[in-house]
Amino acid sequence: KSAYPVAETRIQLYRQITKPASLFLFASGGTIFNHRQQGFPEFSLGGPLHLASYGVNELLGNQYFYFKTGYIHELVKLPAFIGRATYFTGAYEIGNIYGNPASRLPNDAVAGVTVVTALGPAFVGASWGDSGHHKAFFQLGKVF
């Protein structure tokens, strides 16, 4: 067997700007260092966590970059037996898979409400992207 070089990095930054509001920035990227891979691509973009207006795994490839910046605002505190709070989230995403045959740079805007319950977070939102991509979605569990 031979070595299979792959590298991926992710950075997440949060900055509280007022008592109920924060800004955030995510950046990630990955590569297989031009290694000739046989089989499935290593990385994907698309779906609720990475370019939400695109379908799950719509963009596939062996090198990628992704950036997301946004705003979170606490709307309502919940009683302790229900959960923690309800938040508005708005974000802008941009990213690409190298070798993507389309000449555009995939990007979108996402807006929605997250309710952090005793059973975990739930997100209801919508996204609007380039080239007519758009989606409404509901997500349970990991929101970021």
Side-chain angles (χ1 to χ4, degrees):
K1 292 186 176 189
S2 63
Y4 182 71
V6 63
E8 185 174 21
T9 187
R10 295 180 181 152
I11 298 170
Q12 299 181 10
L13 303 169
Y14 294 87
R15 176 78 174 176
Q16 187 174 21
I17 54 174
T18 65
K19 179 82 168 141
S22 297
L23 297 175
F24 63 86
L25 173 67
F26 298 164
S28 64
T31 183
I32 64 166
F33 301 102
N34 293 322
H35 180 78
R36 292 188 180 256
Q37 177 193 17
Q38 300 296 324
F40 295 107
E42 186 70 29
F43 305 108
S44 69
L45 292 175
L49 298 178
H50 297 93
L51 292 173
S53 67
Y54 283 74
V56 174
N57 300 329
E58 186 171 336
L59 303 170
L60 300 169
N62 293 321
Q63 289 184 316
Y64 84 100
F65 71 88
Y66 170 78
F67 297 99
K68 181 178 191 175
T69 187
Y71 174 79
I72 301 172
H73 189 92
E74 184 179 292
L75 299 173
V76 177
K77 287 211 181 281
L78 298 174
F81 68 92
I82 294 176
R84 195 168 68 199
T86 300
Y87 301 90
F88 166 79
T89 303
Y92 174 75
E93 304 175 293
I94 189 166
N96 204 1
I97 295 285
Y98 291 94
N100 180 3
S103 61
R104 70 189 191 289
L105 188 58
N107 66 94
D108 64 25
V110 182
V113 175
T114 301
V115 180
V116 180
T117 71
L119 301 174
F123 180 82
V124 176
S127 58
W128 302 267
D130 65 304
S131 305
H133 284 86
H134 59 281
K135 205 169 258 120
F137 56 95
F138 175 77
Q139 183 178 348
L140 291 173
K142 184 178 177 182
V143 176
F144 291 104

